[in-house]
Structures are given as C-alpha cells and as structure tokens.
Amino acid sequence: MRTFGVEEELLIVDPDSGQPLALADALLSGHRLAADDAPPDQHALKTRDKTAYDDETGLSAELKLEQIETQTRPCLEYSELLPQIRAGRLLADQAARKFGARVAALATSPFGLASHTTPDPRYARMLERFGLTAQEQLTCGFHVHTSIESEDEGVAVLDRIRDKLAVLTALSANSPFWMGMHTGFASYRTQAWNRWPTSGPSAIFGTYSQYRRVVTRLLDSGVMLDEGMIYFDARLSRNHPTVEVRVADVCLRAEDAALIAVLVRALVETASREWQEGVEPAPVPTVLLRMAAWQASSSGLGGELLDFGTFRPAPARDVVRSLVDYLAPVLADQGELALARQGVEDIISRGTGSAEQRRVRDAAAETAPDDGGLGAVVAHAVGVTMRGASGQPEVDEAPDLLRVRQV
C-alpha cells in the first residue's frame, strides 16, 4: 500500500469572541519561522527525514500569523492516520492555550479582520507582489500527500485524477462565511484561493518533461516568485516523492479529514493502475474543470455537482457515491471500502462542515445579535476540532493581555 500523510492549516482564535489572533510566532517561539513551500535545505534533507522548514514539534508557520499548520508522518492505514491528525490538533491547541487562545478547523474566519503576514522575507515579497490577494489570504486548506515511485508515475496520476478533484472540494466544504458575511458558497476558501495566478486545475501534461516545461515557463513569466507558488489543484511535491492534492478545505471533523485522505490515496492508486494498463486520461477541457470546481465550491453537497463522467449537473450525493463506486476496486483491495462508504454516508447525512456552521449560526443568531451568531460558530468549531483528541494541556491561565493580543 502507498503511504500517505496530510497537512492541516488551523485558525488561531480567541475562545471568547471567536476573533482570529495573530499568535503563530508566539506559538512557535524558539523554532524557526519560515515560508511555507520555501526551497528545502539540501543538507537537512540528507540528514533527516523532513525539511528544514518543519519544526521539531510538527507545527509550522503559514502565510498569516492567525494560522498554524500541522503535519502527520507518512502512514499506511486510516487507523494510523486519524490518531495523528487528532494529535496534531491537540498539539496546536496546547500551544495556543498557553497564550489564552484555541485552534479551530475553519477554512475561513467568519469574522472580518485585517490579518497579519508572518515575518518572513518571502512572504513580504508575496505581499508586495500580489497586493490584496495576499493581504486577504487568510484561508485554511487540507493537503494530502500520497507516495509515488517516480516522477513519470506522478505525472500520469495528475493527468488521470484532475477530473475527479472537484468532488473532494464539495465533500470537504467548510467555509461559508467571509468578512462577517454569509457568502452563498459552501467553500468560499476555494474562491479566495483561486485568485492566485497558478491556482486551480491544470491541463494534461503527458510526460514529466512536459510538466517541467510548463513549470519552467510559468517561472520564466516573472509572475510567480518561485516554484513554491505553483498552486495547481494537484502537483508533484518538490521536497518529497509524493503527489500532493490541495483542493480540500480543512475539515471540521478529524474523521472526515482522514476519510478524504483515504479517497485521495485510492484516486492515486487507481490512476496509476490505469496508466499501467494503457488507459488514457479523460480529455476534459480545463475550462470544464473550472466549472466543476466552481459548482462544488458553490453548493458543496447541498445541491448539484457536475458529474465527473459527463460533466452535466447531477445530485451531489449521487456524484459522491459514484466516486466511491469508481474507486471501489482499490478501496476493496486496501480493506477500506466499507469505511469509505460509511464515511461518505455520514457526511451526506449530517452535512459538510459548511452546513454545520450555517446551522449553528442560524440557531444562535436570534440570541446573539451583536455578532449574528458568528461567535457561536467559532466556539462550536473549537469543540468539534478537538473531538477525539486525548489528553488535556497543562497550562497556566493566560494573562488577559495575551488573550486579546493583536499585532
């Protein structure tokens, strides 16, 4: 079985008001703050099985000081991955509680704010180059890494999974609010994120050399700062022998995150088998993939999606179930078919994180006129984020000054 691991981006929030807090530097005090996706230190890669830009605790900085990233180790099974996701959330929450804060698995903040960029030269250049897009980019995604045997296999996988990725956006949708407003989208993170020039679906590459040619041409354009800003929906990792799928919102529930990782790994294995059997990638125009992604971002599981076979509208729950059916041979081989079917049905039954946020806001809005119920949304998210995480942090009560710290 292929190994897989995940990265989760979490919001740092005030547990009383629900407002994001710019505390990532304090949480990571004593560790090196460095830009996400920065070029790896080659000596570090030779001496340990991680890049120089992951700190020793499994937490790392992101673009904004109001967020923090957790990483798991490579895993072989859902039963191994889920506890690591929960452990990462607990670790981040323990660090936050030392400063009177908490963490929440929300893909966007329900509250409006002027976010603060992590003090790193690369991020400073991004802010200067991309203006409002970088200023407003307080979004939290969920990235799944799945191992591959070679770059050729990796590109073959990218070419064959591109038409199914929008289903994962719908399944993970967890960002209905933005700047204090209901956006009308289930995953507004997708809309905000796709303002970057290289984000979104990519064309069929065909070969690894062609993939490199495209990346080189993008860099030669002078628009992007470096290769870390190649933000395709799925890409080859530069630091690890993996395919990295980047379309999902961070999930409110840890078990949903682990389920999506299982589906991603099955997608990668299915695509590899098709490549080995000579099955050509579906020649879906990239513009149609953008329509599918937009529709998934808009409705989540609450309406219709574009079916990944026909690219015509179909009930979202049917499209999600069809994805599991498509992956069934690999899921069965890996002993994960029943788990995947049940996990998908659980999300269909209770709704995505976005639907859950809306329910909490609607229930609290009448009794919380000052913030329209958004504080209750964050408080609920903090509790759900930490479900299943064992152990309680041993921290002293934080001073009020740290609790409300703003930079």
Side-chain angles (χ1 to χ4, degrees), residues 144-392:
V144 182
H145 287 261
T146 305
S147 64
I148 51 174
E149 293 297 322
S150 67
E151 289 95 348
D152 289 334
E153 181 189 44
V155 171
V157 166
L158 295 180
D159 288 350
R160 289 163 177 79
I161 66 174
R162 58 195 285 274
D163 52 329
K164 292 96 178 171
L165 295 180
V167 183
L168 302 179
T169 300
L171 198 59
S172 67
N174 188 31
S175 47
F177 304 114
W178 178 262
M179 297 294 176
M181 297 180 291
H182 190 296
T183 65
F185 287 85
S187 172
Y188 192 74
R189 180 204 65 88
T190 300
Q191 300 298 313
W193 181 256
N194 282 343
R195 291 157 65 183
W196 294 111
T198 59
S199 62
S202 54
I204 293 173
F205 298 106
T207 63
Y208 177 63
S209 60
Q210 178 61 19
Y211 176 88
R212 291 306 313 172
R213 278 195 291 271
V214 170
V215 170
T216 299
R217 291 293 299 274
L218 289 172
L219 295 176
D220 288 347
S221 73
V223 175
M224 315 310 296
L225 299 184
D226 51 45
E227 192 168 332
M229 294 194 71
I230 303 298
Y231 291 146
F232 300 151
D233 285 349
R235 67 184 184 184
L236 300 186
S237 171
R238 296 173 304 114
N239 302 336
H240 307 284
T242 63
V243 163
E244 181 186 5
V245 173
R246 305 165 51 84
V247 295
D249 283 5
V250 68
C251 296
L252 192 57
R253 298 170 183 270
E255 58 269 29
D256 293 350
L259 168 70
I260 287 172
V262 164
L263 295 177
V264 168
R265 178 169 65 170
L267 270 172
V268 171
E269 175 62 21
T270 299
S272 179
R273 292 183 185 185
E274 290 179 349
W275 171 57
Q276 294 172 36
E277 294 166 1
V279 178
E280 293 296 321
V284 182
T286 304
V287 66
L288 269 183
L289 299 185
R290 290 190 177 278
M291 294 301 99
W294 190 94
Q295 182 64 16
S297 170
S298 175
S299 65
L301 299 184
E304 293 183 323
L305 297 176
L306 298 191
D307 181 88
F308 58 87
T310 65
F311 281 83
R312 295 183 180 277
R317 60 187 57 194
D318 293 345
V319 176
V320 173
R321 288 169 178 149
S322 293
L323 180 65
V324 178
D325 290 341
Y326 167 72
L327 300 174
V330 164
L331 290 169
D333 287 349
Q334 297 179 164
E336 296 171 332
L337 181 55
L339 179 153
R341 289 200 190 282
Q342 185 59 57
V344 164
E345 291 303 321
D346 288 345
I347 297 176
I348 289 173
S349 176
R350 67 172 136 78
T352 61
S354 179
E356 192 164 344
Q357 286 190 55
R358 289 167 174 164
R359 289 197 298 270
V360 172
R361 192 282 308 263
D362 291 347
E366 293 185 5
T367 57
D370 291 342
D371 65 10
L374 296 181
V377 169
V378 178
H380 175 79
V382 168
V384 177
T385 298
M386 300 309 299
R387 283 183 188 170
S390 59
Q392 293 297 323

